Amino acid sequence: MDVVTDLAHGGRWTSLRHGGREWLWRREAAERDGAAPGDAFVDAGGVEECVPTVRGTPDHGDAWSRAWTREGDGERVDCEHFTLMRTLSGTADGVRADYVLTAEPGFRFLWAAHALLDLSEEAVLKARDGAPTRLFPEAAPLVDRPWPDGARWLEGVWPAPLGLPLDRFGPDDGTAAGAVVAGGRCCVHDDGDRLSFAVEAEGQPLSVALWRNLGGFPAGRPYRSTGVEPMLGRVFDLADAGPDDAARVGASGEVRWRLTVNAACRCP
């Protein structure tokens, strides 16, 4: 599996290729080249390193808008409240990314490998049947019950939380919905190809976020984008995180985790 990253522009993964297939969706976004910390997110596709939040402030986190540097075998970004190191290495049928986040003990954060994939309408996402799955307010028109006023999320079970089937991406229908599925493993099946994700981190909450935008976002100029995003945490916005919904730096001052991406079936 061949991986290309762009250190000058947030450490973004710009290519993930195996067997002649490019898995990453990309979008022309010239304004990305000049993005600076504090700017609104510029969606250029690929895989973004979203940390310490995904939604909220700063938009899609504090790492995507900063230049990264090479340090030994790894890649590093220094942000206001933390430093993130990433080391990529090949495996027999994929790639492994090892991370170390260094910050003051007690620092809470979310991290997501914000992977936007180039998938067909027939693509299927496999996660653990019955896994607790949180839906967020943009899904309100799509669920089988009224959305309570002020609710930050509602919880159902995979693959059809609150009556909304999420395991199949399907054709464009003008909708967009985000979900967070408990557990750190999933597998995409598409046109005979497979792409599996697994995230491991001792003592931290593990999830897979899903962004299923079938031409429903952004308002006025919508496009299709489908995201499968291994996470540390259980919500999109750090401001919404309860005591067990975010990763936390312990007394050592660091958190370590591993993301493995394989071009083979690793269904939960």
Side-chain angles (χ1 to χ4, degrees):
M1 184 174 288
D2 296 321
V3 179
V4 178
T5 61
D6 183 353
L7 296 188
H9 300 99
R12 183 168 65 101
W13 305 31
T14 58
S15 180
L16 183 65
R17 182 176 290 273
H18 182 269
R21 173 169 182 159
E22 174 58 65
W23 279 99
L24 299 184
W25 173 87
R26 289 168 289 184
R27 174 175 172 267
E28 292 299 323
E31 64 272 29
R32 175 61 186 270
D33 290 346
D39 287 353
F41 181 62
V42 180
D43 189 4
V47 180
E48 304 283 3
E49 302 284 359
C50 292
V51 58
T53 191
V54 183
R55 299 180 183 177
T57 304
D59 188 11
H60 281 68
D62 201 24
W64 73 269
S65 58
R66 297 178 184 268
W68 292 45
T69 57
R70 179 75 59 183
E71 186 170 296
D73 294 333
E75 300 160 340
R76 169 179 176 144
V77 62
D78 295 303
C79 298
E80 183 176 0
H81 299 293
F82 64 91
T83 294
L84 181 65
M85 285 285 300
R86 175 183 72 193
T87 304
L88 298 173
S89 54
T91 65
D93 57 4
V95 63
R96 182 174 65 238
D98 289 296
Y99 295 87
V100 183
L101 183 140
T102 305
E104 290 294 323
F107 179 73
R108 300 176 77 232
F109 68 96
L110 307 174
W111 165 83
H114 186 277
L116 295 179
L117 304 181
D118 187 6
L119 302 178
S120 76
E121 295 179 358
E122 287 73 39
V124 177
L125 179 62
K126 302 285 189 178
R128 180 174 60 84
D129 283 348
T133 302
R134 290 177 175 178
L135 293 172
F136 294 82
E138 68 272 7
L142 308 175
V143 300
D144 60 8
R145 66 198 67 181
W147 196 275
D149 290 343
R152 293 174 293 177
W153 65 78
L154 295 182
E155 188 167 293
V157 296
W158 184 266
L162 310 185
L164 176 59
L166 288 178
D167 56 334
R168 296 183 179 271
F169 290 93
D172 291 0
D173 60 8
T175 67
V180 175
V181 187
R185 296 178 57 206
C186 68
C187 186
V188 176
H189 295 210
D190 191 22
D191 194 26
D193 296 320
R194 304 290 184 265
L195 189 70
S196 65
F197 296 91
V199 60
E200 305 166 78
E202 185 176 354
Q204 307 293 349
L206 306 178
S207 303
V208 176
L210 172 64
W211 173 240
R212 195 180 71 168
N213 174 24
L214 305 179
F217 177 88
R221 300 184 63 185
Y223 50 82
R224 179 186 179 96
S225 58
T226 47
V228 178
E229 309 171 19
M231 292 186 74
L232 300 187
R234 297 192 177 101
V235 292
F236 285 111
D237 190 338
L238 183 60
D240 291 337
D244 299 322
D245 292 335
R248 183 184 296 272
V249 177
S252 68
E254 65 180 33
V255 174
R256 294 177 177 265
W257 68 96
R258 172 173 289 177
L259 170 65
T260 306
V261 185
N262 286 312
C265 190
R266 298 286 192 276
C267 290

